[in-house]
Each structure stands twice: as C-alpha cells, then as structure tokens.
Amino acid sequence: VGVVLLLFLFGCGGGRELAPVTGKVIYKGEPLRFGSVMLQPTSGQPATAIIQPDGTFRVETFGEGVGAVVGRNKVRIVCYEAQDPNRAPTLMGGETAFGRSLIPRRYTSFDTSKLEVEIKPDHSEPLLLELSSDQ
C-alpha cells in the first residue's frame, strides 16, 4: 500500500521536465518593484514568481519544484496596488481588494499579454520582460 501511495503522490517518473528560470521585469524603463509573473506551458500547472523590489524573479512550479516546464510558455504579469508591500491592505467584504492595475491590463491575461518565452533544458540566461505602456 505504501509503494502504491508513493507512486500516486510522486508519479512514475514521467513528470514534466523543468528548467530553472530567473528574470527581470522592466516597465517604463525601470524595474517593476512588485507583482507576480506566471509562465503557462501548453498543459498543466503554471510556474509562478513574486517580483522583488529590484524587478527580479525566480519561478517555481507548485508541486513539481523550482523552475518552469521546458518548451513554449505564455506569460502574464500582474501588478496591483494591493500587492505593494509598503501599502496597507484594503478590506472589502472580508477580502483584500486588488485596487487598480499599475501596468496595462493586457499583461494580466495569458491571451492578451502577447508575451511568450521558450524555456530550454539548459536554460541559464535570465529572462528580460520589458513591458510597454501602450494599451
């Protein structure tokens, strides 16, 4: 029973290949100081990262480890007022309000961001995600 449970929890070695991914987000010529980045492969769980005050990030795939799935990944970036670590949270009906987006809203969706990256097995160069201010 223990072996069956372990195989169920961790798979049979047929997991997706991950590669470590770091990067930096630039908006209006400056590092984006906070927010989050998500990389969505063609199927399965996305990789996520919290943007640091210098604009850098390091992605992890929940339940799978550090890195993103090798192959094409769509990218979305969010940066809402409520994510600012220097801002007190606003409560609305028991939930934190996100506030307004501090970057163009098109970047908040995989379908409209127009950002894609190719993650290779030997990925070592940091990604540079430069956001434009056009809508």
Side-chain angles (χ1 to χ4, degrees):
V1 172
V3 172
V4 172
L5 181 59
L6 286 174
L7 287 174
F8 176 73
L9 291 174
F10 298 105
C12 301
R16 302 179 303 168
E17 183 179 5
L18 300 181
V21 177
T22 60
K24 188 170 194 171
V25 181
I26 302 292
Y27 180 56
K28 293 184 176 180
E30 298 290 327
L32 195 60
R33 297 180 303 114
F34 56 89
S36 57
V37 174
M38 292 181 77
L39 304 178
Q40 178 64 59
T42 54
S43 66
Q45 188 83 332
T48 60
I50 301 298
I51 299 170
Q52 302 303 308
D54 63 354
T56 61
F57 61 89
R58 180 179 72 111
V59 301
E60 294 187 23
T61 301
F62 181 75
E64 295 183 55
V66 173
V69 173
V70 170
R72 297 294 298 167
N73 283 258
K74 290 184 177 182
V75 180
R76 82 179 195 129
I77 301 167
V78 296
C79 182
Y80 290 103
E81 290 174 320
Q83 291 177 294
D84 186 342
N86 298 316
R87 184 173 187 264
T90 304
L91 297 178
M92 284 182 63
E95 294 185 25
T96 302
F98 287 117
R100 69 183 175 91
S101 178
L102 301 177
I103 60 174
R105 293 190 64 82
R106 75 177 176 100
Y107 292 111
T108 66
S109 168
F110 291 119
D111 295 326
T112 60
S113 76
K114 297 181 183 173
L115 297 173
E116 276 194 25
V117 294
E118 178 75 28
I119 305 300
K120 298 185 177 174
D122 58 349
H123 189 86
S124 61
E125 287 293 315
L127 298 175
L128 180 60
L129 302 174
E130 292 188 74
L131 310 183
S132 64
S133 57
D134 63 349
Q135 297 293 331

